Short mmCIF file of all heavy atoms in Angstrom, two decimals:
data_model
loop_
_atom_site.label_atom_id
_atom_site.label_comp_id
_atom_site.label_asym_id
_atom_site.label_seq_id
_atom_site.Cartn_x
_atom_site.Cartn_y
_atom_site.Cartn_z
N MET A 1 3.25 -22.38 18.86
CA MET A 1 3.13 -22.30 17.35
C MET A 1 4.12 -21.23 16.85
O MET A 1 4.18 -20.11 17.43
CB MET A 1 1.71 -21.89 17.00
CG MET A 1 1.48 -21.71 15.52
SD MET A 1 -0.24 -21.44 15.16
CE MET A 1 -0.76 -20.33 16.49
N THR A 2 4.86 -21.52 15.87
CA THR A 2 5.79 -20.51 15.36
C THR A 2 5.51 -20.35 13.83
O THR A 2 5.13 -21.35 13.11
CB THR A 2 7.23 -20.86 15.54
OG1 THR A 2 7.46 -22.13 14.95
CG2 THR A 2 7.60 -20.84 16.97
N THR A 3 5.75 -19.24 13.35
CA THR A 3 5.71 -18.98 11.90
C THR A 3 6.95 -18.29 11.53
O THR A 3 7.61 -17.62 12.32
CB THR A 3 4.54 -18.12 11.46
OG1 THR A 3 4.52 -16.97 12.36
CG2 THR A 3 3.22 -18.83 11.57
N THR A 23 -5.34 -18.12 8.85
CA THR A 23 -5.54 -19.20 9.83
C THR A 23 -4.35 -19.36 10.74
O THR A 23 -3.30 -18.77 10.48
CB THR A 23 -5.82 -20.57 9.11
OG1 THR A 23 -4.67 -20.88 8.31
CG2 THR A 23 -7.03 -20.49 8.23
N ASP A 24 -4.53 -20.11 11.80
CA ASP A 24 -3.43 -20.41 12.77
C ASP A 24 -2.78 -19.04 13.24
O ASP A 24 -1.63 -18.99 13.43
CB ASP A 24 -2.35 -21.26 12.16
CG ASP A 24 -2.90 -22.55 11.50
OD1 ASP A 24 -3.34 -23.36 12.31
OD2 ASP A 24 -2.91 -22.70 10.30
N SER A 25 -3.70 -18.08 13.47
CA SER A 25 -3.14 -16.72 13.65
C SER A 25 -2.83 -16.44 15.14
O SER A 25 -3.50 -16.96 16.03
CB SER A 25 -4.06 -15.71 13.05
OG SER A 25 -5.29 -15.75 13.76
N TYR A 26 -1.90 -15.59 15.31
CA TYR A 26 -1.73 -14.92 16.65
C TYR A 26 -1.41 -13.47 16.41
O TYR A 26 -0.79 -13.13 15.37
CB TYR A 26 -0.65 -15.62 17.47
CG TYR A 26 0.72 -15.92 16.83
CD1 TYR A 26 1.78 -15.04 17.16
CD2 TYR A 26 0.88 -16.92 15.98
CE1 TYR A 26 3.03 -15.29 16.57
CE2 TYR A 26 2.12 -17.18 15.41
CZ TYR A 26 3.18 -16.39 15.73
OH TYR A 26 4.40 -16.60 15.13
N PHE A 50 0.13 -12.64 12.67
CA PHE A 50 0.98 -13.71 12.11
C PHE A 50 0.11 -14.93 11.87
O PHE A 50 -0.73 -15.25 12.73
CB PHE A 50 2.13 -14.03 13.06
CG PHE A 50 3.15 -12.93 13.15
CD1 PHE A 50 2.92 -11.85 14.02
CD2 PHE A 50 4.28 -12.98 12.37
CE1 PHE A 50 3.83 -10.82 14.11
CE2 PHE A 50 5.20 -11.92 12.49
CZ PHE A 50 4.95 -10.84 13.35
N GLY A 51 0.38 -15.70 10.77
CA GLY A 51 -0.48 -16.83 10.54
C GLY A 51 -0.22 -17.41 9.15
O GLY A 51 0.87 -17.17 8.61
#
Side-chain angles (χ1 to χ4, degrees):
M1 178 175 40
T2 55
T3 47
T23 60
D24 307 292
S25 63
Y26 50 103
F50 291 82

